[in-house]
Amino acid sequence: MKLVDLLDYTGQLLQVERFRDYCPNGLQVEGRAEIKTIVSGVSASMALLEAAESLGADLVLVHHGYFWKSEDQRIVGIKRSRLKFLLERNINLVGYHLPLDAHVELGNNARLGAMLGFEIEGWFGEQSVAAYGRLLQPMSLAELGLGISSALGREPLIIGDMQKTIRRIAWCSGAAQDFLREAVDCGVDAFLSGEVSEHTVHLARESGVAFIAAGHHATERYGVQALGEHLAQRFGIRHQYIEIPNPV
Ligand SMILES: [Zn+2]
């Protein structure tokens, strides 16, 4: 299919226009105009680009692309190597950041909730990217931790009373630990994000809302896979997700 049609469709699907973001959403590096194979991954690292090339990717689809607001604008060092790799091979790089966290079906938080048995009741936080709701089955914090560990293949860091019963929970993938304050206002028993900061621990202890850091990478694997699968089915193109392990 044509790259322009794919970008048009995906931009509308994810309502890209709705978001103020820290990076461009959509096409970040332009390659060939015809797309038969999409390779997806969480972050556009060199390891992902190399794996994508070996699978014959026309387009690499990621959650973490390039050109972040705070970064050095020069094309030097690692940035040069990555861009050179893509441009020499005519491979497109397409990234969706906040729109892919927030999408109500394909987004990271929607997928994460479905995997962990959380029913969504509403959205909160800046630009409504974070979700809150209830566990399909109430359980102790310790049991919840075990379930998360087996679902994500990574042991979470948990701050809170392990015997406490968790009925209501809020969650936001990635580095959303500072949404804990707003999660407390949602009246939940626990808040789950990817990363943790030193001050998060004190806030969790003092608010009585348990905090779970389940991994930035581990919580953001699922949106990009769901989007890649959706595009493959919709347009009859190939899609493969590549897991580049990351302990953070
Ligand atoms: Zn992220």
Side-chain angles (χ1 to χ4, degrees):
M1 74 173 303
K2 293 262 170 279
L3 172 70
V4 284
D5 296 334
L6 186 122
L7 293 170
D8 264 5
Y9 173 82
T10 312
Q12 282 179 37
L13 176 73
L14 298 182
Q15 297 179 281
V16 164
E17 303 291 308
R18 225 186 79 197
F19 294 89
R20 278 167 284 112
D21 212 330
Y22 318 99
C23 63
N25 282 295
L27 185 62
Q28 294 195 338
V29 181
E30 188 177 357
R32 60 193 66 126
E34 189 68 30
I35 308 300
K36 294 194 196 80
T37 301
I38 296 177
V39 168
S40 67
V42 177
S43 301
S45 62
M46 192 53 119
L48 178 67
L49 302 186
E50 286 168 353
E53 187 205 19
S54 71
L55 292 167
D58 303 305
L59 186 152
V60 177
L61 177 68
V62 293
H63 182 53
H64 301 139
Y66 304 151
F67 314 118
W68 298 91
K69 252 180 198 162
S70 54
E71 82 183 25
D72 186 341
Q73 293 178 11
R74 296 171 302 154
I75 312 290
V76 296
I78 288 170
K79 193 182 198 175
R80 171 186 179 264
S81 304
R82 290 169 167 181
L83 292 175
K84 184 170 187 277
F85 187 95
L86 287 165
L87 292 169
E88 280 180 354
R89 289 160 184 78
N90 231 1
I91 299 173
N92 294 281
L93 179 70
V94 174
Y96 295 100
H97 184 236
L98 291 182
L100 191 56
D101 288 320
H103 191 268
V104 295
E105 277 171 44
L106 305 173
N108 282 321
N109 290 323
R111 299 319 313 150
L112 196 59
M115 283 187 67
L116 299 178
F118 306 159
E119 188 189 340
I120 297 176
E121 290 176 339
W123 299 84
F124 73 102
E126 207 210 330
Q127 303 187 69
S128 299
V129 296
Y132 66 87
R134 57 184 63 246
L135 271 65
L136 295 174
Q137 217 177 349
M139 61 185 82
S140 70
L141 183 56
E143 289 171 314
L144 178 60
L146 288 174
I148 291 166
S149 173
S150 80
L152 302 185
R154 178 191 181 282
E155 185 121 0
L157 174 90
I158 303 179
I159 309 298
D161 171 6
M162 297 305 268
Q163 306 312 314
K164 178 183 172 178
T165 301
I166 308 299
R167 292 186 177 81
R168 304 195 68 241
I169 188 160
W171 66 100
C172 190
S173 67
Q177 59 267 50
D178 287 342
F179 283 0
L180 174 57
R181 279 171 208 284
E182 286 163 78
V184 170
D185 296 336
C186 292
V188 294
D189 305 305
F191 176 61
L192 179 154
S193 186
E195 292 192 36
V196 61
S197 299
E198 192 273 349
H199 60 259
T200 321
V201 175
H202 303 294
L203 186 56
R205 284 178 184 155
E206 289 169 40
S207 66
V209 171
F211 179 79
I212 304 165
H216 190 138
H217 173 89
T219 56
E220 295 197 328
R221 287 181 191 125
Y222 305 101
V224 80
Q225 288 184 64
L227 177 60
E229 272 313 298
H230 174 88
L231 294 172
Q233 280 175 18
R234 171 109 196 176
F235 296 112
I237 51 180
R238 267 185 311 192
H239 164 249
Q240 189 170 338
Y241 168 78
I242 305 279
E243 170 75 357
I244 306 288
N246 185 333
V248 174

